[in-house]
Amino acid sequence: MTYSIKEVSEKTGLSIYTLRFYDKQGLLPFVARNSSGYRAFTDGDLSLIHTINCLKNTGMKIKTIRQYIDYVMQGPATIKQREAMLLAHRKTVEAQQRKIAENLQEIDYKLNVYQSPDAVATVTKEQQFVQQEKLANQLPNPYAQTILSK
Amino acid sequence: MTYSIKEVSEKTGLSIYTLRFYDKQGLLPFVARNSSGYRAFTDGDLSLIHTINCLKNTGMKIKTIRQYIDYVMQGPATIKQREAMLLAHRKTVEAQQRKIAENLQEIDYKLNVYQSPDAVATVTKEQQFVQQEKLANQLPNPYAQTILSK
DNA sequence: GCTTGCCCTAGAGTGATGTCTAGGGTTTAG
DNA sequence: CTAAACCCTAGACATCACTCTAGGGCAAGC
């Protein structure tokens, strides 16, 4: 049993264009063709495409994914190299996660300000501070309206 | 006290090019100019650039960040809108985090296979499965070497 | 045998986010 | 007063990852 590109598109959520693009980029050297030149995807192919998707979704570049796939196509001899690649990638993904978590905290801090009952007062105070700062350096007031009553 | 674009570049890690690009995109309407037309950044500006960076690093598009900054420049009247924007963004960031965590688990699963003492056996078995599958559908063997000894 | 709905390739186009270049002005130390 | 090290703009160029178009082939139902 094999799948057409349309079926694979529906199963994976990748557009037909994207699948062909990946093939052109050398990400799908394992996908065979039938007698009419149509791509014939097997279940094993789907599993590899799933792996490709994982790497892509965690920010790995297509060139790097191709390197990984090339190793896979060379068989068990390249297990060490694959391990090294995934370990390196794992580190960048973890760093990415930490960064996102940090930034999310800052966003939450902002949200807390906006959701507090004193939001208007806090924001007004910030704005006044900025205006004083600009004034002190003889720079124009960047805000639409001036709120300067100390 | 104000900062030059180079100082801000060093403080934020954003390149001078990027800072100017952001300005062109309307992200820095609050940055004033001195008598020579040079940008003069204040501490308040740095704080807003920090916020912009948080939003950017969590995947918010420049257009959307500009909308947020536009609200900020309109003063306390737009607090509700800012809150709504950050809440919506917060949801997408959380979804993003979940997706990354999922994908990382799959990568870890692969890593476990590669790091196991039976790695060669496991990988060889996978490869044999794929080859059987291709054979069963009269498709060519995608691997460099054939390992078909049942 | 003709229409419909697939499939193919090559290559052009798009959108987001920078990055750099050319050409020119400013500031400061010697 | 000049060299070095900044600053500016406009706009070209680059990169990545698609997305689409043109032109054409194949397969199944009426």
Side-chain angles (χ1 to χ4, degrees):
Chain A
M1 216 285 159
T2 65
Y3 309 100
S4 74
I5 196 169
K6 196 188 182 199
E7 288 168 320
V8 173
S9 168
E10 283 156 3
K11 273 174 192 293
T12 61
L14 299 169
S15 79
I16 290 178
Y17 297 140
T18 301
L19 286 166
R20 287 205 269 244
F21 169 68
Y22 285 177
D23 199 0
K24 245 191 261 187
Q25 297 304 303
L27 258 49
L28 314 179
F30 46 84
V31 174
R33 303 299 181 108
N34 68 16
S35 51
S36 322
Y38 292 13
R39 289 174 187 85
F41 296 81
T42 60
D43 284 307
D45 294 348
L46 286 184
S47 157
L48 254 175
I49 290 172
H50 179 80
T51 301
I52 289 170
N53 224 343
C54 276
L55 297 174
K56 186 205 69 172
N57 288 335
T58 48
M60 190 184 277
K61 300 227 159 166
I62 284 183
K63 254 193 183 176
T64 315
I65 300 178
R66 186 173 55 208
Q67 176 67 72
Y68 176 78
I69 293 294
D70 285 350
Y71 281 138
V72 171
M73 300 320 289
Q74 287 170 45
T78 59
I79 287 177
K80 275 272 161 295
Q81 287 94 321
R82 301 187 212 173
E83 184 191 334
M85 283 193 78
L86 292 195
L87 272 176
H89 184 56
R90 196 185 194 296
K91 271 194 190 169
T92 78
V93 175
E94 278 177 335
Q96 197 184 331
Q97 278 181 320
R98 276 194 302 274
K99 182 127 208 171
I100 291 176
E102 271 173 39
N103 287 324
L104 194 55
Q105 279 202 351
E106 304 242 25
I107 291 170
D108 280 343
Y109 176 79
K110 284 257 154 215
L111 259 174
N112 263 333
V113 169
Y114 292 150
Q115 288 172 336
S116 138
D118 320 326
V120 172
T122 312
V123 169
T124 303
K125 238 176 82 185
E126 277 174 18
Q127 186 166 335
Q128 283 171 352
F129 169 78
V130 168
Q131 289 182 353
Q132 301 282 8
E133 214 183 12
K134 298 280 182 181
L135 207 67
N137 291 286
Q138 294 134 53
L139 299 172
N141 170 24
Y143 291 102
Q145 289 88 27
T146 306
I147 323 186
L148 267 186
S149 48
K150 208 169 27 192
Chain B
M1 216 287 161
T2 64
Y3 309 100
S4 73
I5 196 168
K6 195 189 183 199
E7 288 169 319
V8 174
S9 167
E10 282 156 3
K11 275 175 192 289
T12 61
L14 297 170
S15 80
I16 290 179
Y17 297 140
T18 301
L19 286 165
R20 288 206 268 244
F21 169 68
Y22 284 177
D23 199 0
K24 245 190 262 185
Q25 297 303 303
L27 259 48
L28 315 179
F30 46 84
V31 175
R33 303 299 180 109
N34 69 17
S35 52
S36 322
Y38 292 12
R39 289 175 187 84
F41 296 81
T42 61
D43 284 308
D45 294 349
L46 286 184
S47 157
L48 255 175
I49 290 172
H50 180 80
T51 302
I52 288 170
N53 224 344
C54 276
L55 297 175
K56 186 205 69 170
N57 288 336
T58 47
M60 190 184 277
K61 301 234 152 150
I62 284 182
K63 258 195 181 172
T64 316
I65 300 178
R66 186 173 58 208
Q67 175 67 72
Y68 177 78
I69 294 293
D70 286 350
Y71 281 138
V72 171
M73 300 320 289
Q74 287 171 44
T78 58
I79 287 176
K80 276 274 161 295
Q81 288 93 322
R82 302 186 212 172
E83 184 192 334
M85 282 193 78
L86 294 195
L87 271 175
H89 184 56
R90 194 184 197 299
K91 271 194 191 168
T92 77
V93 176
E94 279 176 335
Q96 198 185 331
Q97 279 182 319
R98 275 193 303 275
K99 182 125 207 172
I100 291 176
E102 272 174 39
N103 287 324
L104 194 55
Q105 279 202 350
E106 303 241 26
I107 291 170
D108 280 343
Y109 175 79
K110 283 255 156 217
L111 259 175
N112 263 333
V113 170
Y114 292 150
Q115 289 172 335
S116 136
D118 320 325
V120 173
T122 311
V123 168
T124 304
K125 237 177 84 185
E126 275 174 19
Q127 185 165 335
Q128 284 171 351
F129 169 77
V130 167
Q131 289 184 352
Q132 300 284 7
E133 214 182 12
K134 300 279 182 182
L135 207 68
N137 291 286
Q138 293 134 53
L139 299 171
N141 170 24
Y143 292 101
Q145 289 88 27
T146 305
I147 324 183
L148 268 187
S149 47
K150 213 173 19 195

